[in-house]
Amino acid sequence: HVYIRITLGETSLSFLSCHLQAHEGKEHYHRRCADLKEILRGTKCGGHKRYDVSILSHHMFVLGDLNFRVDLPKEKVVELLKTKNYAEVYGGDELANGVAMGDCLSNFNLADCSSFAPTFKVKRHVVGSIEDGKSVDEVYNLQRTPSYCDRILWHSLD
């Protein structure tokens, strides 16, 4: 992970970039949550021993391949994607649910991904490619459940 804090005038900005542990399953979810907490503990600054930058910065951004997955059976996600029911797919998003439940990055905001398909494990093909002679928008590599892994979250002090 990489962390930077800058001050512009009287406003402090912090950026934390992470690449968290991959894989599906509850044990990996809990590990990602614990890793985020541990990473934040390491961002104490300005002589403050008790507070991390999420409390000390006016604005903080957490971004990267956070690797949180959609916690729904892969077969259900595939069927939902066929009908473009992205809202229900996003309803299983571990990160959105984890933030809402306070498991990780509580009080942070994240973009609503319910209006588009997951971007994890998408194969992109040229429309009308010579190889297959067909128009193909998106085809998922179904070794993994399609998910929203690359994310940006933010938190601002009131």
Side-chain angles (χ1 to χ4, degrees):
H1 62 276
V2 175
Y3 155 71
I4 185 169
R5 182 174 189 249
I6 59 175
T7 301
L8 300 172
E10 295 186 19
T11 303
S12 60
L13 303 168
S14 294
F15 300 87
L16 175 63
S17 176
C18 303
H19 186 177
L20 300 179
Q21 181 184 63
H23 305 300
E24 299 174 17
K26 290 291 183 196
E27 68 277 6
H28 299 290
Y29 166 78
H30 292 297
R31 178 59 190 244
R32 285 186 285 274
C33 291
D35 286 349
L36 280 170
K37 288 175 187 173
E38 184 62 29
I39 291 167
L40 280 172
R41 273 190 211 106
T43 63
K44 299 188 177 24
C45 61
H48 296 279
K49 304 240 188 259
R50 301 184 82 196
Y51 304 114
D52 63 55
V53 294
S54 67
I55 295 171
L56 296 173
S57 296
H58 292 101
H59 307 284
M60 180 170 186
F61 301 87
V62 176
L63 56 136
D65 185 355
L66 302 184
N67 266 314
F68 285 92
R69 305 304 169 98
V70 170
D71 187 21
L72 296 172
K74 185 183 345 180
E75 298 75 20
K76 180 173 181 163
V77 171
V78 169
E79 290 305 312
L80 292 169
L81 291 174
K82 287 179 183 177
T83 61
K84 297 183 180 180
N85 189 345
Y86 307 136
E88 193 168 340
V89 173
Y90 183 63
D93 180 59
E94 288 179 335
L95 182 57
N97 294 328
V99 169
M101 293 184 304
D103 289 347
C104 64
L105 300 174
S106 57
N107 297 320
F108 273 76
N109 302 292
L110 64 161
D112 180 357
C113 299
S114 65
S115 62
F116 61 90
T119 56
F120 174 68
K121 286 302 180 189
V122 173
K123 294 181 184 178
R124 302 229 183 253
H125 300 281
V126 175
V127 175
S129 68
I130 295 171
E131 291 84 32
D132 59 18
K134 298 179 182 178
S135 296
V136 178
D137 292 330
E138 296 178 332
V139 176
Y140 286 91
N141 176 344
L142 295 177
Q143 292 176 335
R144 302 275 187 262
T145 302
S147 297
Y148 305 93
C149 292
D150 300 312
R151 305 297 277 277
I152 301 172
L153 295 88
W154 66 96
H155 170 71
S156 295
L157 297 177
D158 294 331

